[in-house]
Amino acid sequence: MTIVYWILTVLAGIFASGTALSFVIFIVTGDDLWGKRARNLRRLTSAVLLLMFNLWVWGRVISIIIHW
């Protein structure tokens, strides 16, 4: 499971850096396309982080049920 967390962490980091870069380009150029890209990447980052949290919670639940 640790490998899955590392993969999702790297993926979230890539999306977060893409969000920051897109937002900076949006601020500099004022192009709405970069603003939309920043929003979409922010949503993907949030989805990946929520997936990680969900996997952690359900992993704990299953572990407790098994070891009860």
Side-chain angles (χ1 to χ4, degrees), residues 20-35:
L21 182 63
S22 296
F23 187 69
V24 167
I25 293 173
F26 168 67
I27 294 298
V28 170
T29 65
D31 190 8
D32 287 335
L33 177 65
W34 287 102

Side-chain angles (χ1 to χ4, degrees), residues 1-61:
M1 201 63 164
T2 304
I3 295 172
V4 173
Y5 289 136
W6 275 102
I7 291 170
L8 290 175
T9 303
V10 169
L11 193 62
I14 290 170
F15 287 152
S17 62
T19 300
L21 182 63
S22 296
F23 187 69
V24 167
I25 293 173
F26 168 67
I27 294 298
V28 170
T29 65
D31 190 8
D32 287 335
L33 177 65
W34 287 102
K36 289 179 184 178
R37 286 181 183 165
R39 273 188 302 257
N40 288 337
L41 285 171
R42 186 190 69 214
R43 290 178 187 142
L44 281 172
T45 305
S46 299
V48 169
L49 292 174
L50 286 173
L51 174 65
M52 287 174 60
F53 179 72
N54 197 14
L55 286 173
W56 178 75
V57 167
W58 282 106
R60 293 292 180 173
V61 168

